[in-house]
Amino acid sequence: MKNKLGLFILYLISSFASADWFDVNMPVGVTDISQEVYTLHMAIFYVVVAIGILVFGFLFWSMWRFQKSKNKKPSKFKENHKLEIIWTIVPTLILVAMAVPASITLKNIYDHEAEEGGIDIQVIGKQWYWQYKYLDEQVGSKPLSFASNLTTPEDQWRYNRVDKTENYLLEVDNPVVVPVDTPIRFLITSNDVIHSWYMPDFAVKQDAIPGFINVAKTTINEPGIYRGNCTELCGDRHAFMPIVVKAVAQEEYEEWLEEKRVEAEEVAYLTEKDWTAEELLSMGEEIYTNNCAQCHGADGLGNPGYFPALAGSDIVMNDKTRQTEILMEGISGSMMQSFSEKLNEVELASVITFTKLSWDNDKNGDGEIVLPKDIVEYKEKNK
């Protein structure tokens, strides 16, 4: 028995020695605020450890010193008012001493004043992805805007066909790109339910609430890729809306902005192009697979009682205007979200065309298609 106990103790010691305890602690972060929060956290931690050692040390000493075998005759004593006053005042002073630096840190966290040369980024939570608008960067007549969607393949999270990668459920198609050493304000809101934008390396966690704007300000000190999550239960795909921020040098940030402007100009050009049904069908199949098949099925048959079938749908086959409206506006009270910001005009036109020409929906052979310019006209009409 003693040998087994000794082996168990040796196992625990070796485990403690080999463990990377930094993994169980909160991250230091890459912003001044996150480092201030970490310093405060460690200071409070050591205070609590010291209090724990004193309290439990006194407790165990008392249990040993006054055990029944050594004190067969019980002591008689009355209350000690001085001692009671001391053990009331001392903890109060400790709490006040802890509250002062905590209040200073909180004040710094909630300093939301804009700074000269800073960047304002609007963060909009949607079921289930994030949309970002760079309010100070214009692309044409509108602020730079894009959706950030999960890119972890279904073979990892749905079917478990392949091994999960290092960034499982933490990878997106469009990361937020920002310059280092630049004040950034995130203006966080939502257009459906409550989400929460959480970036541990920045010490930022703000709820995204419909109709409200919560502000988080930060300055990133080190280049790198930083990952976070939505931390509010916002629906059945709550786990599938990660946050990825890429901090780069100012020159690289300017190059990225120029790339985004060029992409926007290309989309604007493509909206004026005369597309063929074959071109739209080819592009639309990929868009449908990545965005629609999870609910409506690869065969368009949907899930009765939950997601309507698109194959044989009267709206899909005969009401182009209503189908466009559904994709642009979503359906209130259902899981059908708006795709007006998630997909551009070309992608929206192609996926609508794909549903119209697939699964025997084009039985009459009319070959009706929706052009990107139709989506542009819809947006102009419904501003």
mmCIF file of all heavy atoms in Angstrom, residues 285-303:
data_model
loop_
_atom_site.group_PDB
_atom_site.id
_atom_site.type_symbol
_atom_site.label_atom_id
_atom_site.label_comp_id
_atom_site.label_asym_id
_atom_site.label_seq_id
_atom_site.Cartn_x
_atom_site.Cartn_y
_atom_site.Cartn_z
ATOM 1 N N GLU A 285 -23.571 26.950 -58.202
ATOM 2 C CA GLU A 285 -23.487 25.640 -57.549
ATOM 3 C C GLU A 285 -22.523 25.687 -56.366
ATOM 4 O O GLU A 285 -22.812 25.147 -55.290
ATOM 5 C CB GLU A 285 -23.036 24.576 -58.554
ATOM 6 C CG GLU A 285 -22.992 23.178 -57.958
ATOM 7 C CD GLU A 285 -22.658 22.117 -58.988
ATOM 8 O OE1 GLU A 285 -22.275 22.479 -60.127
ATOM 9 O OE2 GLU A 285 -22.787 20.914 -58.662
ATOM 10 N N GLU A 286 -21.381 26.333 -56.549
ATOM 11 C CA GLU A 286 -20.408 26.444 -55.459
ATOM 12 C C GLU A 286 -20.957 27.306 -54.325
ATOM 13 O O GLU A 286 -20.810 26.965 -53.143
ATOM 14 C CB GLU A 286 -19.103 27.045 -55.982
ATOM 15 C CG GLU A 286 -18.032 27.184 -54.906
ATOM 16 C CD GLU A 286 -16.739 27.785 -55.441
ATOM 17 O OE1 GLU A 286 -16.643 28.001 -56.671
ATOM 18 O OE2 GLU A 286 -15.832 28.035 -54.620
ATOM 19 N N ILE A 287 -21.604 28.410 -54.676
ATOM 20 C CA ILE A 287 -22.178 29.286 -53.649
ATOM 21 C C ILE A 287 -23.251 28.541 -52.865
ATOM 22 O O ILE A 287 -23.328 28.631 -51.633
ATOM 23 C CB ILE A 287 -22.781 30.556 -54.284
ATOM 24 C CG1 ILE A 287 -21.729 31.316 -55.086
ATOM 25 C CG2 ILE A 287 -23.387 31.451 -53.217
ATOM 26 C CD1 ILE A 287 -20.563 31.797 -54.287
ATOM 27 N N TYR A 288 -24.083 27.792 -53.563
ATOM 28 C CA TYR A 288 -25.155 27.027 -52.904
ATOM 29 C C TYR A 288 -24.564 25.982 -51.958
ATOM 30 O O TYR A 288 -25.024 25.831 -50.813
ATOM 31 C CB TYR A 288 -26.038 26.350 -53.946
ATOM 32 C CG TYR A 288 -27.167 25.547 -53.335
ATOM 33 C CD1 TYR A 288 -28.382 26.145 -53.032
ATOM 34 C CD2 TYR A 288 -27.010 24.189 -53.034
ATOM 35 C CE1 TYR A 288 -29.413 25.419 -52.451
ATOM 36 C CE2 TYR A 288 -28.027 23.463 -52.448
ATOM 37 C CZ TYR A 288 -29.239 24.076 -52.156
ATOM 38 O OH TYR A 288 -30.244 23.359 -51.573
ATOM 39 N N THR A 289 -23.550 25.269 -52.405
ATOM 40 C CA THR A 289 -22.937 24.224 -51.588
ATOM 41 C C THR A 289 -22.364 24.791 -50.297
ATOM 42 O O THR A 289 -22.503 24.195 -49.226
ATOM 43 C CB THR A 289 -21.827 23.509 -52.383
ATOM 44 O OG1 THR A 289 -22.396 22.922 -53.558
ATOM 45 C CG2 THR A 289 -21.173 22.425 -51.549
ATOM 46 N N ASN A 290 -21.733 25.959 -50.390
ATOM 47 C CA ASN A 290 -21.065 26.543 -49.222
ATOM 48 C C ASN A 290 -22.018 27.271 -48.278
ATOM 49 O O ASN A 290 -21.704 27.426 -47.089
ATOM 50 C CB ASN A 290 -19.976 27.519 -49.682
ATOM 51 C CG ASN A 290 -18.839 26.819 -50.390
ATOM 52 O OD1 ASN A 290 -18.597 25.639 -50.177
ATOM 53 N ND2 ASN A 290 -18.137 27.539 -51.243
ATOM 54 N N ASN A 291 -23.169 27.718 -48.772
ATOM 55 C CA ASN A 291 -24.026 28.578 -47.954
ATOM 56 C C ASN A 291 -25.436 28.059 -47.716
ATOM 57 O O ASN A 291 -26.069 28.450 -46.736
ATOM 58 C CB ASN A 291 -24.133 29.964 -48.602
ATOM 59 C CG ASN A 291 -22.824 30.703 -48.642
ATOM 60 O OD1 ASN A 291 -22.446 31.381 -47.697
ATOM 61 N ND2 ASN A 291 -22.093 30.589 -49.752
ATOM 62 N N CYS A 292 -25.940 27.209 -48.605
ATOM 63 C CA CYS A 292 -27.360 26.840 -48.555
ATOM 64 C C CYS A 292 -27.611 25.350 -48.313
ATOM 65 O O CYS A 292 -28.656 24.977 -47.769
ATOM 66 C CB CYS A 292 -28.052 27.245 -49.855
ATOM 67 S SG CYS A 292 -27.688 28.924 -50.392
ATOM 68 N N ALA A 293 -26.671 24.512 -48.747
ATOM 69 C CA ALA A 293 -26.911 23.068 -48.727
ATOM 70 C C ALA A 293 -27.071 22.516 -47.316
ATOM 71 O O ALA A 293 -27.738 21.495 -47.117
ATOM 72 C CB ALA A 293 -25.777 22.342 -49.452
ATOM 73 N N GLN A 294 -26.461 23.178 -46.326
ATOM 74 C CA GLN A 294 -26.563 22.678 -44.951
ATOM 75 C C GLN A 294 -28.012 22.628 -44.485
ATOM 76 O O GLN A 294 -28.388 21.753 -43.705
ATOM 77 C CB GLN A 294 -25.751 23.566 -44.011
ATOM 78 C CG GLN A 294 -24.261 23.525 -44.269
ATOM 79 C CD GLN A 294 -23.501 24.466 -43.353
ATOM 80 O OE1 GLN A 294 -24.038 24.937 -42.340
ATOM 81 N NE2 GLN A 294 -22.269 24.775 -43.682
ATOM 82 N N CYS A 295 -28.821 23.581 -44.940
ATOM 83 C CA CYS A 295 -30.231 23.627 -44.524
ATOM 84 C C CYS A 295 -31.152 22.996 -45.567
ATOM 85 O O CYS A 295 -32.029 22.192 -45.229
ATOM 86 C CB CYS A 295 -30.665 25.067 -44.267
ATOM 87 S SG CYS A 295 -29.801 25.878 -42.905
ATOM 88 N N HIS A 296 -30.968 23.366 -46.822
ATOM 89 C CA HIS A 296 -31.893 22.945 -47.871
ATOM 90 C C HIS A 296 -31.470 21.656 -48.578
ATOM 91 O O HIS A 296 -32.218 21.155 -49.424
ATOM 92 C CB HIS A 296 -32.050 24.066 -48.905
ATOM 93 C CG HIS A 296 -32.644 25.306 -48.335
ATOM 94 N ND1 HIS A 296 -33.976 25.414 -47.976
ATOM 95 C CD2 HIS A 296 -32.094 26.508 -48.029
ATOM 96 C CE1 HIS A 296 -34.217 26.621 -47.498
ATOM 97 N NE2 HIS A 296 -33.090 27.306 -47.512
ATOM 98 N N GLY A 297 -30.291 21.115 -48.226
ATOM 99 C CA GLY A 297 -29.846 19.849 -48.791
ATOM 100 C C GLY A 297 -29.202 20.017 -50.161
ATOM 101 O O GLY A 297 -29.565 20.902 -50.935
ATOM 102 N N ALA A 298 -28.251 19.147 -50.438
ATOM 103 C CA ALA A 298 -27.585 19.191 -51.742
ATOM 104 C C ALA A 298 -28.565 18.904 -52.870
ATOM 105 O O ALA A 298 -28.378 19.372 -53.999
ATOM 106 C CB ALA A 298 -26.435 18.181 -51.767
ATOM 107 N N ASP A 299 -29.635 18.149 -52.567
ATOM 108 C CA ASP A 299 -30.629 17.813 -53.576
ATOM 109 C C ASP A 299 -31.790 18.803 -53.595
ATOM 110 O O ASP A 299 -32.748 18.629 -54.363
ATOM 111 C CB ASP A 299 -31.159 16.399 -53.343
ATOM 112 C CG ASP A 299 -31.664 16.188 -51.912
ATOM 113 O OD1 ASP A 299 -31.726 17.187 -51.145
ATOM 114 O OD2 ASP A 299 -31.972 15.038 -51.555
ATOM 115 N N GLY A 300 -31.721 19.836 -52.737
ATOM 116 C CA GLY A 300 -32.769 20.850 -52.707
ATOM 117 C C GLY A 300 -34.060 20.415 -52.042
ATOM 118 O O GLY A 300 -35.051 21.160 -52.084
ATOM 119 N N LEU A 301 -34.065 19.246 -51.397
ATOM 120 C CA LEU A 301 -35.308 18.729 -50.808
ATOM 121 C C LEU A 301 -35.555 19.247 -49.400
ATOM 122 O O LEU A 301 -36.623 19.000 -48.830
ATOM 123 C CB LEU A 301 -35.263 17.190 -50.795
ATOM 124 C CG LEU A 301 -35.229 16.524 -52.180
ATOM 125 C CD1 LEU A 301 -35.165 15.004 -52.037
ATOM 126 C CD2 LEU A 301 -36.455 16.934 -52.994
ATOM 127 N N GLY A 302 -34.584 19.953 -48.830
ATOM 128 C CA GLY A 302 -34.776 20.558 -47.519
ATOM 129 C C GLY A 302 -34.940 19.537 -46.414
ATOM 130 O O GLY A 302 -34.553 18.371 -46.533
ATOM 131 N N ASN A 303 -35.546 19.971 -45.327
ATOM 132 C CA ASN A 303 -35.823 19.125 -44.173
ATOM 133 C C ASN A 303 -37.247 19.431 -43.731
ATOM 134 O O ASN A 303 -37.490 20.455 -43.080
ATOM 135 C CB ASN A 303 -34.828 19.411 -43.040
ATOM 136 C CG ASN A 303 -34.952 18.426 -41.887
ATOM 137 O OD1 ASN A 303 -35.939 17.702 -41.771
ATOM 138 N ND2 ASN A 303 -33.947 18.399 -41.027
#
